[in-house]
Amino acid sequence: MNTSEKELISPTQNVEQNISTPVSVIPTGIHTPKSTKKNKSSNTLLTKPKRSLVNRLLITVLPSVLFPLVIASGFAINFTDRQGKEVAVEKILRTLTTTSEATQNWIDDIFDLGSIIDTNPFVLDAIFSGERKAKSENLGQKSFNEIEKAYNQTKLLEPEKVQQLNNYLQALARSEDLQDILITEKHGYNVAYSSITPYFVQSAKPWWHFGKNKKIVEGNIDESKKTVTFEFLKSINEKKLGGFLGITRIRTSIDTLNEQVFRYLASELSGSLAVQLISTQSGKAITQFNAGDFESLPEIIGGEPLFRAVNVFVKTLT
């Protein structure tokens, strides 16, 4: 590790946390530390140092946009020269693990929902039918403005064929407390949605290319409205049906994550202990969990110095 733990978590009077560079990692589980016995082979000096449990837990489960950090009584995972540090470490690590489990489950649940949508035969039928329509109208040879004008009313390839599918997506979004669900075919044209979109051609938007052939979560912060929205992007791939077929986008607010994490942390938080989720893209805290409540878009506890330290720490481990 290029940055030592001491550099990252040196004692201060007002320790807090920050992060700003995107962390491009899909979540992985929390792992228990492996044996620290040295490899006696001639390649020992070339092996990558093993991470401590503290370091593993600091890089918890939120992918690409969030990074959890715990602050308690003015210190950030810093237990050097403190009485009862073993008890404090145990409590902090337990809280980090709990936060990891809550966020991982939240992410998994939404992507699982995306998989259910992708494999729905009505969805696949709509994709293939829409693709045939796009080909028959030679949309690939037309300009963005021409296509948008032609499909300006409903923003759908075949609105008359997907009404029931749209109704299904609307009901699903309501029941799962989602903002919206959108499905495109492989060229980025809208096939079905839970609510109408501003544009018909999604391939003209950066998010569509982010989600092509991969699974990713993107976070968007609107400070003026004090809101945070997450976009879950999942490519639809079926090798037996031709490979890449399109993209499913599911959008949800931070509220669903906050509620789930808070339920998990209810028995963990007490006194001055707090947990902040910090955006690695914007360098802003998106939620702070305290004993008894939580707050969206709070000030980061720790300020710019800690933000820079954590940012460097994240880079060394990803």
Side-chain angles (χ1 to χ4, degrees), residues 133-181:
K133 172 75 174 296
K135 186 175 181 179
S136 69
E137 297 200 358
N138 204 27
L139 295 187
Q141 303 302 315
K142 297 180 179 180
S143 70
F144 172 82
N145 288 336
E146 284 181 292
I147 299 172
E148 285 294 329
K149 184 177 180 180
Y151 290 87
N152 183 58
Q153 188 171 358
T154 64
K155 315 291 186 183
L156 288 169
L157 272 168
E158 298 182 300
E160 68 285 352
K161 293 185 178 181
V162 297
Q163 188 56 55
Q164 286 188 329
L165 178 56
N166 284 352
N167 292 341
Y168 164 72
L169 295 178
Q170 290 169 10
L172 196 59
R174 285 195 300 270
S175 67
E176 299 299 324
D177 200 19
L178 306 172
Q179 287 190 347
D180 57 59
I181 303 170

Side-chain angles (χ1 to χ4, degrees), residues 108-228:
D108 288 346
D109 287 346
I110 296 180
F111 276 127
D112 286 347
L113 180 63
S115 295
I116 292 172
I117 294 171
D118 295 351
T119 55
N120 186 308
F122 294 102
V123 170
L124 295 176
D125 285 347
I127 287 174
F128 288 125
S129 179
E131 186 180 339
R132 288 192 296 269
K133 172 75 174 296
K135 186 175 181 179
S136 69
E137 297 200 358
N138 204 27
L139 295 187
Q141 303 302 315
K142 297 180 179 180
S143 70
F144 172 82
N145 288 336
E146 284 181 292
I147 299 172
E148 285 294 329
K149 184 177 180 180
Y151 290 87
N152 183 58
Q153 188 171 358
T154 64
K155 315 291 186 183
L156 288 169
L157 272 168
E158 298 182 300
E160 68 285 352
K161 293 185 178 181
V162 297
Q163 188 56 55
Q164 286 188 329
L165 178 56
N166 284 352
N167 292 341
Y168 164 72
L169 295 178
Q170 290 169 10
L172 196 59
R174 285 195 300 270
S175 67
E176 299 299 324
D177 200 19
L178 306 172
Q179 287 190 347
D180 57 59
I181 303 170
L182 171 65
I183 301 167
T184 79
E185 49 79 79
K186 67 181 182 182
H187 300 102
Y189 306 133
N190 287 356
V191 168
Y193 51 51
S194 62
S195 58
I196 194 168
T197 59
Y199 298 96
F200 167 69
V201 184
Q202 302 303 326
S203 55
K205 300 298 177 181
W207 73 260
W208 193 85
H209 297 278
F210 293 154
K212 191 174 182 180
N213 297 319
K214 66 182 70 174
K215 188 167 67 172
I216 193 169
V217 182
E218 290 290 320
N220 298 297
I221 298 175
D222 187 333
E223 291 192 75
S224 63
K225 297 180 180 178
K226 283 281 187 178
T227 60
V228 183

Side-chain angles (χ1 to χ4, degrees), residues 15-86:
V15 177
E16 305 164 24
Q17 286 95 316
N18 292 35
I19 310 175
S20 79
T21 302
V23 184
S24 299
V25 290
I26 291 297
T28 56
I30 298 299
H31 302 287
T32 55
K34 297 180 181 178
S35 171
T36 57
K37 291 182 181 179
K38 294 181 180 179
N39 187 340
K40 295 183 180 180
S41 72
S42 59
N43 294 326
T44 299
L45 296 177
L46 299 178
T47 59
K48 189 176 180 179
K50 297 188 189 316
R51 301 175 190 169
S52 70
L53 180 58
V54 171
N55 291 343
R56 290 169 185 267
L57 288 172
L58 277 172
I59 305 299
T60 57
V61 303
L62 280 178
S64 79
V65 291
L66 301 180
F67 183 88
L69 198 60
V70 170
I71 308 137
S73 301
F75 64 92
I77 321 300
N78 176 30
F79 311 103
T80 305
D81 298 325
R82 289 181 177 275
Q83 291 184 347
K85 67 177 183 179
E86 291 81 6

